[in-house]
Amino acid sequence: MRSYRLRRLVVPALLCALVPLMAQPAGAVGDSKGAPGNGTGTGGDMGLSAQVAQLYEDAAKATARYETGRQEAEGQRAQAQRIESLLDRERREIGVLREDLGRIARAQYRTSGGMPLTAQIILATSPEQLMRGQHVFSQTNLAVNNAIEKSRRAEQQLAKDEAKADAAWQKLEKRNADLAELKRGVEQKLEEVRWELQGQADASVAAGSCPGAVRLDQKQKEFSSAWVPPVASYELSAGFGSGGSRWANRHTGQDFAVPIGTPVRAVGDGRVVKVACAGAFGMEVVVRHTDGYYTQYAHLASVAVDQGEQVDTGQWIGQSGTTGNSTGPHLHFEARITAELGSGVDPVPWLSERGVELG
């Protein structure tokens, strides 16, 4: 199992999603013919490509944090419901205590529990009766004091529990709002930079001249198989052989609906035999694989390889876009017998034979 070769370049650091991105310029590598890059292959191109790649990573992290916060919110919601049930029980207990206080007070009034000690001495017929009266009086006062103290403690605890529950909700709501704002900020910046990158790619295609390869910083990753899909996350759109007004005959490949700037990777080991930036396919890369087949990656917004370069399975070779004859952002992918248009085979079963199931 092999890992793709690492491409090193300085990538603009993003302090956070809400801080403006500062792209570091870098020199152009040169176009597909080995000549120096033209005006569209300057450091601005490379900065935009790197920003888009970095923002994709930041967006994924922000989404993961947001989802974690959302799951914690669900757990907090369940806990809040349990706390609310406890608070309801405490409220009922306080209500019972208050009823007990009323009952004790009424009983004390009926039994003259509040009679002054002098009156009790005068009216008592014997010392035993006086002692019994004093005992009842003491017991009644003790019960009243205990009930009052218990009610007071219960009300204090209820107030603390209510404040605690309210603070927990406020903290959770603020955190989720912050995470949502962070996610929105990253996605908004990503969308802006995507279209800046696409605009420069369109200019290159209009001029018919490819910019230099943009060496995107890619983290090392090993794959469990020799073949992978051309993009990591996607929705399948137009398929091989389908009809449409935009094609002269039939659709010659498989389209993957992905946003502008999505990293496009080599489906297998091979060598880049073509990098072009004109015509119906817009910006495109063609790779010849070790088994003799060719794959094409078209409508790109940037390329990350040079013609003649060896590539490994999963290595980023460009970024998706909507250059050329395209109605919207997607990757047009073909599997061919030769490097030329017209020798294509259905990419879905072709990849399936190599252990890659699309869906």
Side-chain angles (χ1 to χ4, degrees), residues 303-319:
V303 293
V305 291
D306 285 315
Q307 189 164 312
E309 182 176 339
Q310 295 290 329
V311 294
D312 294 331
T313 298
Q315 180 180 327
W316 289 355
I317 60 175
Q319 292 169 293

Side-chain angles (χ1 to χ4, degrees), residues 8 19 31-32 42 45 49 80 118 122 134 146 148 150 175 197 207 267 304 318 320 327 332:
R8 302 294 184 186
V19 178
D31 63 18
S32 60
T42 63
D45 251 348
S49 296
T118 303
I122 295 172
Q134 281 296 102
N146 286 342
I148 291 174
K150 187 175 181 180
R175 182 190 176 195
L197 179 64
V267 297
S320 65
T327 58
H332 176 85

Side-chain angles (χ1 to χ4, degrees), residues 45 49 194 197-198 200-201 260-261 283 299-303 319-323:
D45 251 348
S49 296
R194 275 174 181 159
L197 179 64
Q198 181 61 44
Q200 293 191 357
I260 294 169
M283 196 175 291
H299 305 310
L300 302 177
S302 77
V303 293
Q319 292 169 293
S320 65
T322 183
T323 54

Side-chain angles (χ1 to χ4, degrees), residues 27-252:
V29 178
D31 63 18
S32 60
K33 298 179 181 179
N38 59 20
T40 59
T42 63
D45 251 348
M46 299 180 75
L48 283 175
S49 296
Q51 285 184 43
V52 171
Q54 182 64 53
L55 280 166
Y56 264 105
E57 183 177 346
D58 291 345
K61 290 179 180 178
T63 298
R65 290 178 62 190
Y66 178 77
E67 287 302 313
T68 299
R70 186 183 60 79
Q71 292 172 6
E72 290 178 357
E74 292 298 325
Q76 185 66 33
R77 184 174 291 107
Q79 181 180 355
Q81 291 173 346
R82 290 192 296 270
I83 292 175
E84 187 61 32
S85 298
L86 292 175
L87 292 177
D88 286 340
R89 188 175 70 182
E90 289 179 9
R91 293 184 187 102
R92 290 194 297 270
E93 290 175 352
I94 289 175
V96 171
L97 289 174
R98 287 172 177 167
E99 290 178 1
D100 289 344
L101 279 174
R103 185 171 58 255
I104 292 171
R106 289 191 297 272
Q108 186 180 28
Y109 176 78
R110 288 195 300 270
T111 57
S112 299
M115 186 180 295
L117 179 60
T118 303
Q120 292 185 40
I121 292 173
I122 295 172
L123 297 175
T125 57
S126 66
E128 291 79 9
Q129 183 183 10
L130 178 62
M131 293 299 296
R132 283 197 301 273
Q134 281 296 102
H135 179 71
V136 170
F137 177 74
S138 297
Q139 288 296 105
T140 301
N141 280 342
L142 180 61
V144 170
N145 291 336
N146 286 342
I148 291 174
E149 180 60 22
K150 187 175 181 180
S151 177
R152 184 184 64 81
R153 289 197 304 268
E155 289 178 349
Q156 288 177 345
Q157 186 61 46
L158 175 62
K160 289 180 181 179
D161 291 343
E162 288 176 333
K164 182 179 178 181
D166 184 60
W169 268 114
Q170 290 183 6
K171 181 179 179 181
L172 182 65
E173 289 176 355
K174 183 181 184 305
R175 182 190 176 195
N176 285 346
D178 290 343
L179 288 173
E181 183 63 26
L182 174 68
K183 184 171 180 287
R184 282 193 298 270
V186 174
E187 291 173 345
Q188 180 180 353
K189 184 61 180 177
L190 175 57
E191 186 67 11
E192 293 172 358
V193 179
R194 275 174 181 159
W195 286 105
E196 289 181 40
L197 179 64
Q198 181 61 44
Q200 293 191 357
D202 289 336
S204 295
V205 172
S209 180
C210 289
V214 178
R215 304 300 178 178
L216 298 173
D217 187 27
Q218 184 179 5
K219 291 182 174 60
Q220 186 173 5
K221 182 178 180 182
E222 294 189 352
F223 295 92
S224 59
S225 63
W227 300 87
V228 296
V231 284
S233 180
Y234 57 86
E235 288 185 11
L236 296 177
S237 49
F240 180 80
S242 58
S245 60
R246 301 189 68 83
W247 308 304
N249 295 301
R250 293 286 178 175
H251 194 229
T252 55

Side-chain angles (χ1 to χ4, degrees), residues 252-253 293-296 333-337 343-347 350:
T252 55
Y293 280 89
Y294 297 77
T295 53
Q296 180 208 32
F333 174 77
E334 289 193 19
R336 298 174 177 174
I337 298 173
S343 63
V345 297
D346 191 337
W350 185 84

